[in-house]
Structures are given as C-alpha cells and as structure tokens.
Amino acid sequence: EMCIRDSNSSGTIHEFFGTSTFSSSLSVTSGNITASDGGVLINGAGGAILYLNDSNDNPDYQVQNIGGAFAIKDGTSNVERLSITSAGLVGIGTNNPDSKLNLFGTGSDADTRISIKDGVGIANVVGRNGSLSFQADVDNAVSGTSINFAVDGAERFRIDSYGNVGVGTEPRTAAGGINNDTNVMLVIGDNDTGIAQDGDGQFEIWANNQEIANFNASSVTLTKDLFIPDKLRHDGDSDTQIRLSL
C-alpha cells in the first residue's frame, strides 16, 4: 500500500494498493516518498529513468535502467558518467565498458587519472595514449616518498625520491662516496652492492660498500686485484694495445 497525503495530512490525495498503477504526475516539495515492506517501481517504455532536478528544476542528473544497463547520466551535457552493464562491467566515462572496471577519457590526464590522497601527499596512476605513469607525491609536499612493488607479501622493487633503485632490497642511502642528492645507484640483493652513476660520465661497480671498478670516458680503473684463471687474449690490429702498469 502507498498513501500520499497533503502537507497537513488532512486528507488523502492518492492511495493505491499492490500492483495498482499511478498514472498522474507526482510532485513532492520539501518532503519524502517512503515505501514500507516494498519498493518504488518505475517503468518506462524506453527504460526506467529517475530525474534528479536542481533548485531551478533543471534535470542535471538522471538515474537510468535501459535495456538492463544501469547508468548515471549528466543531463546537462547528455553524457553517461557511470555505467554498469547487465554483465557487471563498470564504465566510468563510457557506456560500453570492456572489463570489470573501464576508465575512459580524452583530452587531458585528469580524464584518465586515478588520484589517491592521504594527508597532504598525492599519488596518481595515469594512462595516456597507451602509456602508463605512476606518480608519487606529485606536489612534492612530502619528503622521502617512493614507489614500491611487492610480490607474495614482500617488497621486491623500490624507487626512492632520489631516483635510486633497489631490487630485492631497499635502495642504498648516502654512503661510501655515493651522494644520493646528485647521483643514482641500482642496488641488487642488498643495499651496498650494485652499480652507480657517480657524476657526469662516471660509472662505478660496488660490492659490500666498496668501489670495485670505475669507468669513465678516458679509462677503466679496478680498485681490486684482477684474477685471470686461464689466459689473457688480445685480438686486434697494431693500433690496439694492452698496457700493464707494474
């Protein structure tokens, strides 16, 4: 049973029961429509549509069920903002999603961006023109941020705020001649073994917090003994030399 009375509850305007139909227009001002032990059913020849008008009576948003698909439509722009198909696929910015969650947009990063804000820091995942971008602390509001990847409950890869990379371990901190503010190091296995770019044109190999080899445009320097178990072979023309300093 549904009963609609005037504002003073002095008389019944409309009252109907069970599956009875309500064919006339209904306008409720500063009030509610309440259904007990049931629901409010909206049918339409072209689909069920619930119009949500603003204070100027403009149908800015619509809730629709058309052909078994649920949608929230922006009536002003005549665009579906959210769509759920009969197969359970969810589309944001599209009425034809092709996956469980499909984010669609054109024209700017904001149309295809998932933004996560915790406190003052903002992290984004952005897809544009087939490219994928992970962004940590986009406003540079927090110090020491990083991008981390975990597998089977353990962190396996991290990029810190200096650009240092750790594979299977945290990136190294400033130590052993490597200055995180100006240089970049890739550590592997533990944070004192890996390869580093130590200034322009300077490439280094580190092990157990010790520099083992230094490469630059003019020379290669080994800081530890070089052991050759079999033979040292030189193939080249007469202008190529192997120099040994004893």
Side-chain angles (χ1 to χ4, degrees), residues 24 27-28 30 40 49 59 71 75 77-78 98 103 125 133 140-142 145 147 165 168 188 198 208 217 235 239 244:
S24 59
S27 177
V28 178
S30 299
V40 177
I49 302 177
S77 302
N78 196 33
D98 57 7
L103 179 62
V125 179
S133 173
N140 196 25
V142 183
T145 55
I147 295 177
V165 177
I188 304 171
D198 187 12
N208 292 331
D235 290 326
D239 293 333
L244 301 177

Side-chain angles (χ1 to χ4, degrees), residues 37-52:
D37 297 327
V40 177
L41 178 63
I42 302 175
N43 286 323
I49 302 177
L50 175 63
Y51 293 89
L52 306 176

Side-chain angles (χ1 to χ4, degrees), residues 73 76-77 82 94 113 143 205:
K73 185 176 182 179
T76 303
S77 302
L82 175 69
T94 177
R113 179 177 66 214
S143 62
I205 298 177

